[in-house]
Amino acid sequence: MCFVLFSIGLYCILRKRNIIKIIIGIVIVEYALNLFLILIGYRIHGRAPIVAQDQEILNMVDPLPQAMVSTSIVIGLAIIVVLISLAIRIYEKYGTFDITKIRRLKG
Amino acid sequence: MSNEKGMSLIVKTVTRLTFGLIIIYGIYIVLRGHISPGGGFAGGVIITLSFILLMLAFGKDNVLKKLNQSRCLTFSSLGALIFLFIATAGFINKQKAVGGKEHFAIFGAGLIPLCDIAVSVMVGTGLFLMFFALVLLVEEKEGK
Amino acid sequence: MLLFFITIPLCAAFLISLFNRKIKNLSDFIANLATFILFLFSLSSIKLISLYKIIVYRLGGWMPPMGICLVGDGLASFMLVTVNLISFLVMIYSISYMDRYTDKWKFHALFMLMLAGMNGVILSGDLFSLYLFLEMASISAYVLVAFGTEPEDLEASFKYAIMGSIASIFILLGIGLLYSYTSTLNMADISSGLLNKPKGLLVGFVAVLFLAGFGLKSALVPFHTWLPDAHSSAPSPVSAILSGIFIKTLGIYALARIFFNILGISDKILFLFMVLGVLSMVVGALLAMAQNDIKRMLAYSSISQIGYIVFALGIGTPLALLGGLLHLFNHAVFKSLLFLNAGAIEYSTGSRKLSDLGGLNSKLPITGGTSFIGSMSIAGIPPLGGFWSKLIIIIAAVQTGHIGFAFVAVLVSIITLVYYLKFQSFVFFGKLNQAYIKVREVPLVMKLAMVFLAGISIFSGLLLTPPFKDFLQSATGILLSGTAYGQAIFGAIK
């Protein structure tokens, strides 16, 4: 499942010409990765890793990947904001979202 | 749409009702972050969402009176600085920073609630700033 | 002590963004002060490392397999000195260079964030915080490349951001797989854990992912397409940082750390390094010949020099590693010098086309002189620093029997000489273009930074002499010790 999503996202990045679609591709890949990280830490019938006041939890899922995912979501947010603001500016200057037409740099 | 700013009457009324609730919920999550799930980041995001909702419903000018861009930036960096200083305090005196002895009590976690508040200020205003910058970019483009 | 390398730039960044409107020119002052303090700290870290060998700082007092730790060893202190030296000088330079842009304080704040990210990458002791710092540095680099907001800048930055985020996704996937295999994120723990487990297909796959990710970040040849655009479009101080130290800390340092100390090096990977290195050398040099834009030429030559360093890592003998690290230092110095020169030329003439310029030596004597030193050093003319490191790399290649590769390295060195001579003759010698009669020399602080860098690039060959040799050798020792790294760190904790 994750790898299917991952490949869809990669296809989207590599094959599409529209800037916005490329950004969507990156988002898909990121989410595939987050899902993958969560699944690494999952155990069958596991519970949320919260230490509660009055009960002992024996079968916890691994909390570390969840911490990693929450961090990588934030990073993803930052990257997406940067990319989208770049895309808006590019549209302003070039008047198009098509990367085959944005070719002022060569060589 | 008509000349008045923002969305329809229904949206405005609902926003007016829920706005305070959302903010209170956000603050609750920030303050209880060291005991239960939640914490500075999630709470900050929720508080920001309430402001974004306000902005969507009433148009951006009304919100800007209360919270303009430069003030946002000031708060954001202030929050980050406070967080950093708390962290450095922990570097100097390790025991007091993390060493809460009573578990599951409101004041039992040393400096962590303070960290949470600082993070929530930073994240909230930072996120609002991001949203705001994107909105301004689009407006600028439409102006041309 | 180690923590200050990360907190000082962060603190400076937030202070700058807090007080930017209140006091003018404060951002200059804070940024320069912070980089200066960092430089002093990095020098003092040399002494500390030579005393204790490895310094481990445990965040919050947690023991390493559980908590996050910062690790300073010979290699890290070597990189810290390089990074902070260059960033200090570039910061001095940008006092007057960045006057042309609006919102100077934004540049300073982003620069500080980038510096914090780079120092964090060097010091971090576990894989996930390495990834975090890497992202922090990369995101601020994407924004810095687009700083001019010209169409070219935006396009280059977009390309760079897409490539960079693909690279970080690969790296994160690798980290996730490695975590699922060893169930720890600490570098030392992973390396000792991998020793006891059979190395299956998974480790190979992870190695490929890391190679692709960090290769993208360091612009080795199959992944190099973003570099010339990004480095030539950025403002000159930024391209000096990007080309001089950014691709080395994020690419080469992380590659070396992961492959030598964590995954364990094997003959196949070494051979792969060598092939990638030689490819980068040749392609970079050949493409640099054809350029008309000064900064584009310098960017391609960066690819070629990165090739030298990776080639040296691939040979893998102590001598080669020594040469590679020396070349890393040298390249950081002279490439940032040359980018600053290009910035100075652009500052005073407004053009960076080779065909437009000419005869600037009479008008810009200091820029001309320093860039002559830089060019000759990069091309490997004997008394200068670049000669010694290239010589060592080539000798090491011959010693291990890779005579063909050594021959290619010599050839590329000659090509390098050719295109730098072309650069010199087009820009500084020959007839003065009538349009540039009234050109003036650049302001004092820019001269100061360039003269310093030129001085260092003359004398960096001295790093091989006895008083400094320990410094380099402690860095190579870390790489040579290989997967014993894990035990060394746990030894240092107890």
Side-chain angles (χ1 to χ4, degrees), chain B:
Chain B
M1 247 197 253
S2 58
N3 277 335
E4 62 177 297
K5 287 194 171 168
M7 293 190 181
S8 67
L9 186 66
I10 305 173
V11 179
K12 279 185 179 174
T13 316
V14 173
T15 308
R16 210 172 283 139
L17 284 176
T18 51
F19 175 68
L21 290 180
I22 296 175
I23 278 199
I24 290 174
Y25 182 59
I27 292 172
Y28 166 78
I29 284 191
V30 171
L31 291 183
R32 270 187 76 85
H34 54 289
I35 304 171
S36 59
F41 189 84
V45 171
I46 291 172
I47 294 175
T48 311
L49 285 182
S50 73
F51 276 100
I52 290 177
L53 184 66
L54 209 62
M55 197 156 143
L56 289 178
F58 291 95
K60 74 176 193 321
D61 297 332
N62 283 327
V63 183
L64 288 193
K65 274 178 212 154
K66 287 175 190 158
L67 203 64
N68 63 9
Q69 207 174 1
S70 62
R71 204 178 293 170
C72 247
L73 189 63
T74 313
F75 271 120
S76 183
S77 32
L78 201 65
L81 265 185
I82 294 172
F83 188 48
L84 200 65
F85 277 126
I86 292 173
T88 322
F91 172 65
I92 292 162
N93 192 344
K94 280 177 200 163
Q95 289 308 311
K96 279 184 187 164
V98 198
K101 292 220 173 86
E102 313 159 47
H103 296 291
F104 307 112
I106 283 285
F107 296 109
L111 288 172
I112 289 178
L114 284 182
C115 287
D116 269 350
I117 293 169
V119 169
S120 75
V121 170
M122 177 177 85
V123 169
T125 47
L127 202 64
F128 188 67
L129 206 61
M130 282 178 184
F131 181 74
F132 190 64
L134 287 183
V135 168
L136 270 196
L137 266 177
V138 173
E139 295 258 321
E140 217 173 78
K141 193 185 73 188
E142 280 170 356
K144 285 172 191 170

Side-chain angles (χ1 to χ4, degrees), chain C residues 208-273:
Chain C
V208 170
L209 282 176
F210 279 139
L211 194 62
F214 290 117
L216 259 170
K217 294 266 181 200
S218 65
L220 290 175
V221 142
F223 319 113
H224 69 286
T225 46
W226 60 269
L227 186 136
D229 298 343
H231 287 198
S232 56
S233 311
S236 279
V238 179
S239 27
I241 285 291
L242 283 179
S243 213
I245 51 183
F246 192 77
I247 49 177
K248 297 197 186 59
T249 34
L250 263 64
I252 305 288
Y253 170 80
L255 265 184
R257 181 64 95 195
I258 283 178
F259 279 100
F260 279 84
N261 287 349
I262 298 177
L263 295 178
I265 202 85
S266 66
D267 285 346
K268 268 185 216 159
I269 291 175
L270 282 180
F271 187 70
L272 201 61
F273 271 12

Side-chain angles (χ1 to χ4, degrees), chain A residues 62 75 79 94 102 106-107, chain C residues 135 149 155 158 179 296 300:
Chain A
D62 192 351
I75 291 173
I79 286 184
Y94 287 86
I102 305 170
K106 271 181 197 153
Chain C
E135 280 300 281
T149 63
E155 183 191 341
F158 189 77
Y179 175 75
R296 247 182 132 66
Y300 274 116

Side-chain angles (χ1 to χ4, degrees), chain A residues 3 6 10 13-14 19-20 22-23 26 29-30 33-34 36-37 40-41 62 64-65 67-69 71-72 75 78-79 82-83 85-87 89-90 93-94 99 102-107, chain C residues 128 131-132 135 139 142-143 146 149-159 161-162 165-166 168-170 172-173 175-177 179-180 184-185 205 228-230 232-233 287 291 296 300:
Chain A
F3 283 95
F6 196 85
L10 266 188
I13 295 170
L14 296 176
I19 285 181
I20 300 295
I22 292 177
I23 295 174
I26 282 190
V29 172
E30 247 158 34
L33 206 56
N34 290 344
F36 173 68
L37 286 179
I40 284 174
D62 192 351
L64 195 62
M68 278 159 67
V69 165
T71 321
S72 77
I75 291 173
I79 286 184
V82 168
L83 280 177
S85 54
L86 278 178
R89 281 297 179 90
I90 285 177
K93 303 276 181 190
Y94 287 86
I99 53 167
I102 305 170
R103 283 227 164 267
R104 217 169 282 187
L105 290 168
K106 271 181 197 153
Chain C
F128 192 69
Y131 169 75
L132 273 188
E135 280 300 281
I139 291 174
Y142 306 150
V143 184
T149 63
E150 295 300 312
E152 288 88 359
D153 301 359
L154 294 170
E155 183 191 341
S157 170
F158 189 77
K159 218 185 238 178
I162 295 289
S165 27
I166 294 174
S168 6
I169 284 165
F170 277 143
L172 189 58
L173 186 61
I175 292 172
L177 285 171
Y179 175 75
S180 72
T184 174
L185 279 174
F205 184 53
D229 298 343
S232 56
S233 311
L287 285 173
Q291 299 305 318
R296 247 182 132 66
Y300 274 116

